[in-house]
Amino acid sequence: RLDDPSYLFGSRPLAPKKSVRVKALAYTGCSIKSKRTTRGAWGDALTADVKAVAVSPDLLEMGLDRGDVISIEGLPGKYKVLDVMHSRHDKTIDIFYGNDACGATQWGKRTLNITWQ
């Protein structure tokens, strides 16, 4: 079997999607005093063009990891896990809104599903 290219390089089924219901908040990189780039907990630069989220530590225990891509119910596109929230949060994500404080405020707090591979 190891000499069969279709076995070695054939398509394999994807792992089943994982889904969890979470509280979803929004945050910005705004800082009146500092002009430095906002960074996530792992040091990743969070710029206005990055679709990023911070996740509560319990979601990391559920299988999410730095750099994982998630889908957020009600939002188009994919978001990358680039930050971690304080341990006081559970089953919570924080969506990065760049410098759009108005957009973050309008988002408010919602309960929705996220999915990832």
Side-chain angles (χ1 to χ4, degrees), residues 9-55:
F9 304 106
S11 63
R12 295 184 182 147
L14 294 173
K17 282 189 176 182
K18 297 174 188 166
S19 180
V20 67
R21 194 144 184 87
V22 297
K23 289 176 277 188
L25 311 167
Y27 72 112
T28 67
C30 290
S31 174
I32 295 169
K33 295 180 182 178
S34 175
K35 293 184 180 182
R36 285 187 264 157
T37 301
T38 302
R39 298 211 172 262
W42 291 294
D44 297 286
L46 301 178
T47 58
D49 61 330
V50 172
K51 287 183 139 186
V53 295
V55 297

Side-chain angles (χ1 to χ4, degrees), residues 66-100:
R66 175 188 182 189
D68 281 353
V69 176
I70 67 169
S71 295
I72 301 172
E73 179 183 4
L75 289 179
K78 305 285 184 180
Y79 290 76
K80 217 173 207 186
V81 176
L82 295 178
D83 201 358
V84 180
M85 300 173 76
H86 190 277
S87 61
R88 71 176 173 263
H89 297 285
D90 63 326
K91 287 193 178 173
T92 305
I93 64 168
D94 217 350
I95 304 163
F96 183 66
Y97 263 73
N99 293 328
D100 184 5

